[in-house]
Amino acid sequence: PLRRQRQMCIRDRLGAVISAIAISHSSGVSPADSPQVNGNEMEQKGIEALASHLPEIAVMRFTDALQQLSANDRSGQQRLQLRLAEAMIRAQQPQDALDLLKNLKDSATTRPADVAFWQAHGHAALGKFREAIESLRSALLDPQLQYREEAILSQARLLAAIGDLDSAVRVLTETQINKDPQRVIAQLDLARIHLSMGNTEQARKAMPEFQPLSLSLIHISEPTRPRLI
């Protein structure tokens, strides 16, 4: 059992960074869900690039949009900086994203929970799992956090990555996830953690009822396979 737990922790350490980035990708913005940006064509192109899973292009578009924006438009500057930080994390530029997010910590126009969410994914990508967990805890204090389900999944996986399996189980059992596919992924993660702890019966109970939809989702529950969200 000890060897199996050690193997699971190593696997999770390797997969948690990919998992964290994957979760941030699954929160990808859709042009249909985003307001049209009047007067800033580059920002709209950046949004479309994110929706098309082209983060490197989005970084360039948002950078251009920032340069075109008036320095007096503080609200617009901060909105764009948050979008740029998200794109940087997706494009595997976490340190640049964290440097940018520092300036938004006390922003009057961005939600602190949104900033904390992306900071968490930046920290995770750099292997700073404990800092990432603390940022996610901060983000989850806001009940209106847009990416709440993704934050819960990230928090549980990162806790598993540092070997705190009991806390990972608590996160997955005490917080409710009603949205698919995150609900099914959470159940599969919980079952996997129970198995690694030798709790076979608990693992069996945690498994979702396998309907055709959930069967098709099993492959994306693996932390080593990024869901480019």
Side-chain angles (χ1 to χ4, degrees):
L2 182 60
R3 182 181 178 184
R4 186 172 13 171
Q5 180 171 332
R6 188 178 297 117
Q7 288 174 337
M8 185 266 187
C9 287
I10 292 171
R11 185 172 63 251
D12 270 4
R13 283 179 183 276
L14 293 173
V17 170
I18 300 173
S19 167
I21 298 299
I23 289 171
S24 70
H25 275 100
S26 66
S27 310
V29 66
S30 165
D33 298 333
S34 303
Q36 291 296 310
V37 183
N38 295 325
N40 198 327
E41 183 182 356
M42 283 296 106
E43 182 174 0
Q44 192 60 43
K45 286 183 176 180
I47 291 171
E48 292 168 0
L50 282 183
S52 299
H53 308 306
L54 299 170
E56 294 85 358
I57 301 297
V59 168
M60 291 189 292
R61 297 293 181 259
F62 290 140
T63 300
D64 290 343
L66 272 169
Q67 292 173 349
Q68 293 175 8
L69 200 64
S70 168
N72 296 325
D73 186 354
R74 190 65 183 150
S75 170
Q77 291 273 346
Q78 292 173 341
R79 181 191 68 245
L80 271 168
Q81 286 171 349
L82 186 61
R83 289 196 191 279
L84 177 56
E86 175 184 349
M88 285 174 168
I89 288 171
R90 295 170 184 267
Q92 300 183 40
Q93 301 170 22
Q95 189 57 62
D96 291 339
L98 287 172
D99 292 342
L100 194 58
L101 288 166
K102 282 180 187 177
N103 301 326
L104 298 176
K105 262 190 134 179
D106 301 315
S107 165
T109 57
T110 56
R111 295 177 69 90
D114 291 338
V115 175
F117 176 83
W118 293 112
Q119 282 179 320
H121 286 84
H123 286 311
L126 293 172
K128 299 178 179 179
F129 295 169
R130 294 185 186 278
E131 290 91 332
I133 290 166
E134 287 307 311
S135 292
L136 286 169
R137 283 177 177 152
S138 175
L140 285 165
L141 292 175
D142 185 348
Q144 302 303 316
L145 176 65
Q146 183 179 359
Y147 305 136
R148 187 167 189 80
E149 288 82 5
E150 290 85 354
I152 292 168
L153 286 170
S154 282
Q155 185 182 35
R157 288 178 172 186
L158 288 165
L159 285 164
I162 64 171
D164 192 350
L165 303 182
D166 290 332
S167 293
V169 168
R170 275 198 301 274
V171 167
L172 291 172
T173 54
E174 295 177 4
T175 52
Q176 197 168 15
I177 299 179
N178 298 317
K179 187 171 71 173
D180 283 329
Q182 289 88 345
R183 179 180 61 84
V184 175
I185 294 168
Q187 290 172 319
L188 290 167
D189 279 0
L190 181 58
R192 184 167 57 87
I193 293 171
H194 276 309
L195 277 175
S196 74
M197 298 170 74
N199 301 331
T200 308
E201 182 61 23
Q202 292 297 323
R204 187 188 64 79
K205 291 178 180 179
M207 289 291 288
E209 294 182 9
F210 287 115
Q211 301 300 327
L213 174 62
S214 59
L215 280 171
S216 69
L217 293 171
I218 293 177
H219 72 285
I220 63 173
S221 72
E222 293 297 332
T224 53
R225 179 167 183 167
R227 297 177 296 117
L228 297 181
I229 34 190

